[in-house]
């Protein structure tokens, strides 16, 4: 018994060290954003901020382009998620519930599309958007993110729908519901958490995306947050306080989403990856 | 009499007959938007990448709009370019390093979560979510700041710990150390997903199996090998496969840290493709690079792809 107790204490101590390793960069980002500038660029060794200031937040957010970039990021991510959710849900229902000729072909199409290395499609996408006159315009970016998130959305929703017993819908139909109203009244509400988790994934993918945004968006008022942030140092010299404040604002929406749907997150990701 | 014929005529032919073709068409109608989107935004670019890779496609052709086929010239150019081979070797080694650290680290953290005190587990899980949630580019800027030559907390800490030579040490002066920093960054970001997935797998192992193992007098290593590892193997395969897909294609962190420098020392294949295509407008060459990249990725993940397709067939 005491030996097991000692073991538990040692293991827990390692656990605390690991927690510190994973939490430190977030802590350092926020504490840098709150430190006065003279404390940032000094030789002293301070792990804790002395004298908290919100200056960097005001400066960073007030810097040219931040709010525009934030707006562009929100529009691109929400636009892509909305499209992917509609098309994905429509496709997920037959893939999960219906028998029809060519079903296997559709499944293969979705699976292969999910594997497609989007990073390797940069050049043809660039040429395609140029031909459609969509370079340097938000709809172009929305289209790309839509294409990138749709297979995953459809596949994951298919997994979630399969998790809901079809008997429930059939019972509702026996009770006099039509096919559509049985789906709407029984399956759709149960699908709620799946829809939330899936759209959060899509949102984060688009919110995070850098390569296409960097390539397609050429004028500054079209930058998304990652592109704007990557240009931050060069544009304004190294303003670490401002950079960390902007990074904090960039991180917040994702952090909130993660805390809300963390439980569904792993289930959804592995469901999409292994099988439905 | 009239009432019976009315209902008979009213229901049977006109209500059910139009239902049959509609029902049969429904799945295809529902799949239509997704199919069109996938074909247009994934299928077409894939096809176009292959076609572009057999064309001379530089700025001149783009402006004039003419199509110049040049056979295998792009591939010959790419394959005879030492920079391509350096990037390939670098990408493969980098992917191997990232995948093994992420999977091994994730496994260790998952095991840690099982054995630590309840409170520590809660703290550890929150820390993991913090690392997982930070957008790639935000994480990259934070790491740049922590690894900053003069004011970075890492160099300051190393000096405090009695290594004065790290004062003003530049972590980004060689390709190797730049890649090492990027690898730490990627492991830090990807371990949480691996750890949560494997931890979910560990929770699914029935407790009786461990009791049986301890009754048989198994050491904790033997219990791990025979119980935990057996249960986790399929999940470890999945996270390894996903990490391969993700880490082979990493662009954001590599580009944002040093744009592939110093002197091309951190140029991986995705960065090479970007430089060839976007920065220097050699679209044909860049397309050839991306086709080769995709072929490599398929070759690396072939086993897993086959298993997944087989599982789908078996349904």
């Amino acid at each position: 018994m005491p030996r097991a107790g000692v073991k538990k204490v040692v293991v827990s101590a390692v656990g605390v060290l690991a927690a510190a390793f994973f939490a430190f960069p977030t802590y350092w980002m926020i504490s840098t954003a709150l430190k006065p500038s003279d404390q940032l660029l000094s030789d002293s060794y301070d792990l804790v901020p002395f004298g908290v200031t919100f200056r960097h937040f005001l400066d960073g957010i007030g810097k040219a382009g931040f709010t525009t970039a934030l707006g562009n990021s929100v529009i691109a991510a929400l636009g892509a998620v909305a499209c992917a959710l509609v098309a994905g849900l429509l496709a997920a229902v037959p893939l999960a519930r219906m028998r029809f000729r060519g079903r296997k072909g559709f499944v293969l199409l979705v699976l292969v599309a999910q594997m497609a290395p989007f990073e390797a499609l940069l050049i043809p996408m660039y040429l395609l958007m140029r031909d459609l006159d969509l370079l340097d315009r938000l709809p172009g970016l929305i289209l790309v993110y839509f294409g990138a998130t749709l297979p995953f959305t459809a596949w994951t929703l298919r997994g979630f729908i399969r998790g809901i017993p079809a008997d429930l819908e059939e019972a509702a139909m026996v009770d006099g519901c039509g096919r559509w109203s049985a789906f709407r009244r029984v399956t759709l509400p149960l699908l709620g958490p799946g829809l939330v988790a899936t759209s959060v994934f899509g949102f984060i993918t688009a919110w995070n995306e850098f390569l296409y945004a960097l390539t397609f968006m050429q004028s500054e008022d079209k930058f998304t947050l990652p592109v704007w942030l990557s240009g931050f140092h060069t544009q304004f010299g190294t303003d670490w306080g401002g950079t960390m404040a902007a990074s904090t604002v960039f991180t917040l929406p994702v952090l909130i989403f993660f805390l809300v749907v963390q439980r569904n997150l792993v289930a959804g990701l592995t469901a999409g990856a292994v099988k439905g | 009499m009239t009432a019976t014929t009315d209902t008979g005529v009213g229901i049977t032919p006109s209500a059910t007959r139009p239902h049959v073709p509609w029902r049969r068409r429904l799945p295809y109608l529902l799949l239509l938007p997704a199919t069109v989107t996938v074909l247009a935004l994934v299928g077409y670019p894939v096809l176009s990448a292959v076609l572009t890779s057999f064309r001379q496609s530089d700025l001149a052709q783009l402006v004039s709009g003419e199509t110049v086929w040049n056979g295998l010239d792009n591939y010959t150019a790419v394959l005879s370019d030492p920079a391509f081979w350096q990037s390939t070797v670098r990408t493969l080694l980098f992917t191997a390093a990232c995948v093994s650290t992420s999977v091994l680290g994730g496994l260790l953290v998952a095991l840690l979560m099982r054995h630590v005190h309840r409170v520590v587990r809660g703290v550890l899980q929150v820390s993991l979510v913090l690392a997982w949630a930070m957008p790639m580019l935000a994480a990259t800027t934070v790491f740049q700041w922590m690894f900053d030559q003069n004011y970075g907390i890492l160099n300051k800490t190393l000096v405090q710990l009695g290594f004065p030579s790290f004062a003003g040490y530049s972590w980004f002066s060689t390709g190797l150390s730049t890649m090492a920093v990027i690898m730490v960054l990627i492991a830090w970001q990807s371990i949480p997903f691996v750890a949560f997935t494997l931890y979910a797998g560990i929770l699914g192992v029935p407790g009786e199996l461990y009791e049986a193992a301890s009754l048989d007098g198994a050491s904790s290593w033997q219990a791990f090998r025979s119980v935990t590892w057996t249960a986790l193997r399929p999940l470890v395969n999945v996270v390894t496969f996903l990490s391969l897909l993700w880490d082979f294609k990493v662009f954001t962190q590599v580009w944002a840290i040093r744009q592939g420098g110093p002197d091309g020392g951190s140029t991986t294949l995705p960065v090479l493709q970007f430089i060839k295509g976007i920065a220097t407008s050699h679209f044909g060459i860049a397309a050839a690079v991306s086709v080769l990249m995709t072929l490599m990725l398929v070759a690396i993940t072939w086993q897993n792809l086959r298993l997944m397709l087989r599982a789908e067939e078996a349904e």
Side-chain angles (χ1 to χ4, degrees), chain A residues 60 63-66 69 210 213-214 217-218 220 223-240 242-243 246-247 250, chain B residues 137-138 140-141 144 252 255-257 259:
Chain A
K63 281 244 163 74
F66 179 84
F210 178 62
L214 177 72
M217 305 317 236
Q218 283 133 358
E220 268 174 44
F223 284 179
T224 58
L225 268 184
V227 181
W228 182 84
L229 204 55
S230 78
F232 205 102
H233 326 274
T234 41
Q235 234 179 318
F236 304 102
T238 310
D239 171 10
W240 285 113
T243 309
S247 301
F250 183 36
Chain B
L137 209 102
T140 311
T141 49
Q144 280 178 296
T252 305
W255 182 261
I257 288 258
Q259 283 86 44

Side-chain angles (χ1 to χ4, degrees), chain B residues 2-73:
Chain B
T2 37
T4 35
T5 37
D6 261 349
T7 46
V9 169
I11 288 172
T12 332
S14 62
T16 45
R17 208 185 284 152
H19 249 83
V20 177
W22 165 246
R23 264 244 171 123
R24 226 178 258 166
R25 239 181 281 153
L26 184 63
Y28 302 105
L29 281 175
L30 293 176
L31 280 164
L32 190 67
T35 311
V36 169
T37 311
V38 167
L39 289 180
L41 291 175
V42 185
Y44 173 79
V46 170
L47 186 70
S48 149
V50 175
L51 292 179
T52 310
S53 73
F54 294 109
R55 278 179 195 154
Q56 186 180 353
S57 186
D58 299 324
L59 263 188
Q61 285 77 33
L62 273 190
V63 174
S64 67
E66 62 176 326
T67 307
V68 185
W69 297 97
N70 63 354
L72 291 172
D73 285 7

Side-chain angles (χ1 to χ4, degrees), chain A:
Chain A
M1 205 52 190
R3 220 181 118 229
V6 170
K7 204 171 148 193
K8 187 131 205 163
V9 169
V10 172
V11 174
S12 291
V14 177
V16 171
L17 283 179
F21 172 74
F22 286 104
F24 185 78
T26 311
Y27 166 76
W28 200 238
M29 172 178 78
I30 297 171
S31 78
T32 304
L34 293 172
K35 276 182 191 173
S37 292
D38 56 332
Q39 205 189 337
L40 290 181
L41 303 182
S42 78
D43 291 326
S44 67
Y45 185 74
D46 312 318
L47 282 174
V48 194
F50 295 105
V52 166
T53 170
F54 288 97
R55 236 213 123 76
H56 298 304
F57 280 94
L58 297 175
D59 284 357
I61 293 160
K63 281 244 163 74
F66 179 84
T67 35
T68 321
L70 181 72
N72 289 341
S73 272
V74 170
I75 294 171
L78 287 185
V81 166
C83 298
L85 214 51
V86 172
L89 183 60
L90 289 180
V93 173
L95 289 181
R97 284 286 157 85
M98 298 177 188
R99 302 198 158 272
F100 54 93
R101 280 172 67 101
R103 192 183 159 279
K104 216 178 257 179
F106 283 107
V107 168
L108 195 67
L109 180 75
V110 173
L111 272 183
V112 171
Q114 201 180 339
M115 295 292 150
F118 246 79
E119 285 78 357
L121 298 182
L122 178 72
I123 302 307
M125 282 287 202
Y126 178 83
L127 300 176
L128 177 68
M129 292 301 150
R130 187 189 51 111
D131 294 342
L132 295 172
D133 196 23
L134 285 174
L135 282 184
D136 207 23
R137 291 174 59 195
L138 277 173
L141 214 50
I142 292 178
L143 267 182
V144 173
Y145 296 168
F146 174 32
T149 49
L150 174 65
F152 168 80
T153 307
W155 191 244
T156 314
L157 284 178
R158 168 190 178 268
F160 277 110
I161 294 176
R162 285 199 147 190
I164 302 167
D167 308 358
L168 290 179
E169 255 177 77
E170 278 154 25
M173 280 159 80
V174 169
D175 289 345
C177 278
R179 202 184 167 84
W180 159 241
S181 94
F183 179 79
R184 193 175 57 84
R185 290 192 197 177
V186 178
T187 309
L188 208 54
L190 290 173
L191 196 53
L195 288 172
V196 172
T198 316
S199 37
V200 167
F201 284 144
F203 183 87
I204 291 172
T205 309
W207 187 253
N208 245 323
E209 206 286 325
F210 178 62
L211 176 62
Y212 282 88
L214 177 72
T215 311
F216 288 2
M217 305 317 236
Q218 283 133 358
S219 39
E220 268 174 44
D221 63 325
K222 294 293 163 42
F223 284 179
T224 58
L225 268 184
V227 181
W228 182 84
L229 204 55
S230 78
F232 205 102
H233 326 274
T234 41
Q235 234 179 318
F236 304 102
T238 310
D239 171 10
W240 285 113
T243 309
M244 291 303 111
S247 301
T248 306
V249 177
F250 183 36
T251 304
L252 272 178
V254 184
L255 193 58
I256 293 166
F257 280 147
F258 261 75
L259 293 175
V260 174
V261 296
Q262 191 232 320
R263 227 163 256 279
N264 292 328
L265 228 52
V266 171
L269 263 180
T270 38
V274 202
K275 51 190 276 190

Side-chain angles (χ1 to χ4, degrees), chain B residues 17-304:
Chain B
R17 208 185 284 152
H19 249 83
V20 177
W22 165 246
R23 264 244 171 123
R24 226 178 258 166
R25 239 181 281 153
L26 184 63
Y28 302 105
L29 281 175
L30 293 176
L31 280 164
L32 190 67
T35 311
V36 169
T37 311
V38 167
L39 289 180
L41 291 175
V42 185
Y44 173 79
V46 170
L47 186 70
S48 149
V50 175
L51 292 179
T52 310
S53 73
F54 294 109
R55 278 179 195 154
Q56 186 180 353
S57 186
D58 299 324
L59 263 188
Q61 285 77 33
L62 273 190
V63 174
S64 67
E66 62 176 326
T67 307
V68 185
W69 297 97
N70 63 354
L72 291 172
D73 285 7
N74 290 328
Y75 288 95
T76 329
V78 170
L79 294 174
S80 60
D81 181 0
F84 170 79
W85 292 106
Q86 281 164 12
S87 298
T88 303
V89 171
R90 188 177 293 123
T91 309
L92 291 175
L93 291 177
F94 173 70
T95 307
C98 287
V99 171
S100 48
T101 5
S102 309
V103 174
L104 203 65
L107 179 64
L108 290 176
V109 172
L111 291 172
L112 209 53
M113 273 201 266
R114 184 170 113 84
H115 291 289
V116 291
H117 186 270
R118 200 162 36 83
V119 178
V120 177
R121 177 159 60 232
V123 174
L124 183 55
Q125 286 179 341
V126 171
S127 313
L128 290 172
V129 171
L130 287 178
W132 194 8
M134 197 186 284
M136 282 177 229
L137 209 102
T140 311
T141 49
V142 176
F143 268 67
Q144 280 178 296
W145 167 227
M146 292 197 305
F147 281 85
D148 184 72
Q149 188 172 358
N150 296 316
Y151 303 108
I153 191 66
L154 181 71
N155 281 355
K156 281 188 181 178
T157 306
L158 287 169
V159 171
Q160 288 277 318
L161 289 175
F163 301 98
S165 58
F166 279 100
Y169 178 78
S170 167
W171 292 90
F172 303 109
S173 61
T174 71
L176 192 66
S177 65
T178 305
M179 293 308 285
V181 173
I182 300 172
M183 195 204 76
V184 173
L185 165 61
I186 286 175
W188 176 77
Q189 285 188 288
S190 46
I191 283 175
F193 167 69
V194 177
F196 278 120
T197 310
L198 296 183
Y199 181 59
I202 290 176
L203 289 184
V205 179
E208 298 96 71
L209 289 181
Y210 288 106
E211 281 164 32
S214 79
L215 279 179
D216 290 346
S219 67
S220 37
W221 170 245
Q222 283 166 329
F224 170 78
R225 285 250 336 241
S226 60
V227 181
T228 317
W229 182 246
T230 313
L232 286 188
R233 255 228 327 251
L235 277 179
V236 170
N237 278 340
V238 171
V239 292
T240 309
F241 172 63
L242 288 176
S243 306
L244 274 173
L245 289 184
W246 292 333
D247 296 345
F248 186 79
K249 305 182 297 192
V250 163
F251 174 82
T252 305
Q253 293 91 328
V254 184
W255 182 261
I257 288 258
R258 271 300 178 275
Q259 283 86 44
D263 286 330
S266 65
T267 300
T268 54
L269 288 174
V271 173
L272 186 73
Q273 174 213 215
F274 179 82
I275 293 174
K276 293 279 182 204
I278 301 307
T280 58
S281 294
H282 295 304
F283 297 105
I285 302 265
V289 172
S290 48
V291 169
L292 291 169
M293 244 174 83
T294 310
L295 290 178
M296 282 182 224
L297 194 57
V298 170
I300 295 170
T301 55
W302 183 242
Q303 272 310 93
N304 259 298

